[in-house]
Amino acid sequence: MAYVIGDDCVKCGSCAAQCPVEAISEGPDKYVINPDLCVECGACAAQCPAEAIDL
């Protein structure tokens, strides 16, 4: 199960910078994670200042 970015996302981009497989991209309202690319490493969730990323 891939990580998901919730509505608390502040679009800072820190999650995308930490993703080792480049599964995170900027969406219209928040960043989004491609579930087909996510390897569930948790690097994005650990970096998120808004705690908007969860499994």
Side-chain angles (χ1 to χ4, degrees), residues 15-43:
C15 59
Q18 290 299 310
C19 183
V21 295
E22 299 180 357
I24 304 174
S25 59
E26 187 174 1
D29 300 321
K30 61 183 179 180
Y31 275 78
V32 293
I33 299 174
N34 181 332
D36 294 328
L37 297 177
C38 180
V39 295
E40 302 172 22
C41 68

